[in-house]
Amino acid sequence: MTELIGDLHPMVVHFPIALLMTSVMCWLTQYLIKDTVSNTFFRITSAMTLKIGFLFSIVTYVTGYLHSMYWEPESLLDWHGYMALLLTIYAGVMSFLIYPASRYYWMWMVVLGILVGITGHYGGTLTHGPLF
């Protein structure tokens, strides 16, 4: 049963990536647009995609952990797992503990985008090879 759930990881992994990066892009858009209506829309969309992305990143982390149990142990796989756990915790902290109107919220968003990129790069290297 755990192998079956772990095999779902390649299918579910892209959804939280898309949601978290959409959150970063919507936040950046609302930061650059001065129109009140558009600003509100992008701010709300950013917050909602961040929360939903966090919830799906939990599912993705669990499926990835179960999937990794059937791989040969290697350093890159470990780093991918550590970064995925860090990303999941970070997204949770951002979703529920950091206030979006905070003065330094932009730094939190930049780090979120970087964490998604690094974690995705490690995962892509695992599946597509070192030239990815």
Side-chain angles (χ1 to χ4, degrees):
M1 183 66 169
T2 59
E3 187 175 5
L4 177 65
I5 294 171
D7 286 343
L8 294 175
H9 182 70
M11 290 177 267
V12 299
V13 71
H14 298 96
F15 193 53
I17 291 171
L19 286 169
L20 294 173
M21 290 308 291
T22 299
S23 178
V24 172
M25 291 296 121
C26 284
W27 181 85
L28 179 63
T29 303
Q30 70 88 26
Y31 186 76
L32 296 174
I33 292 178
K34 302 303 179 198
D35 176 37
T36 308
V37 175
S38 297
N39 190 302
T40 303
F41 170 77
F42 285 114
R43 187 171 16 91
I44 292 170
T45 303
S46 176
M48 293 307 297
T49 54
L50 178 61
K51 286 176 177 44
I52 297 168
F54 162 65
L55 295 175
F56 275 96
S57 69
I58 295 170
V59 173
T60 301
Y61 179 78
V62 170
T63 60
Y65 177 77
L66 294 174
H67 192 60
S68 71
M69 293 170 52
Y70 300 98
W71 281 48
E72 292 293 320
E74 65 174 275
S75 176
L76 188 60
L77 180 62
D78 292 339
W79 274 105
H80 178 61
Y82 299 146
M83 292 302 293
L85 181 60
L86 177 64
L87 173 61
T88 301
I89 293 169
Y90 190 86
V93 167
M94 279 192 72
S95 295
F96 298 105
L97 298 178
I98 305 299
Y99 185 62
S102 166
R103 182 176 174 181
Y104 299 106
Y105 194 72
W106 68 271
M107 285 192 266
W108 286 84
M109 277 295 187
V110 168
V111 171
L112 178 66
I114 291 169
L115 283 174
V116 171
I118 292 171
T119 306
H121 173 70
Y122 285 155
T125 301
L126 282 170
T127 57
H128 302 292
L131 297 177
F132 178 71

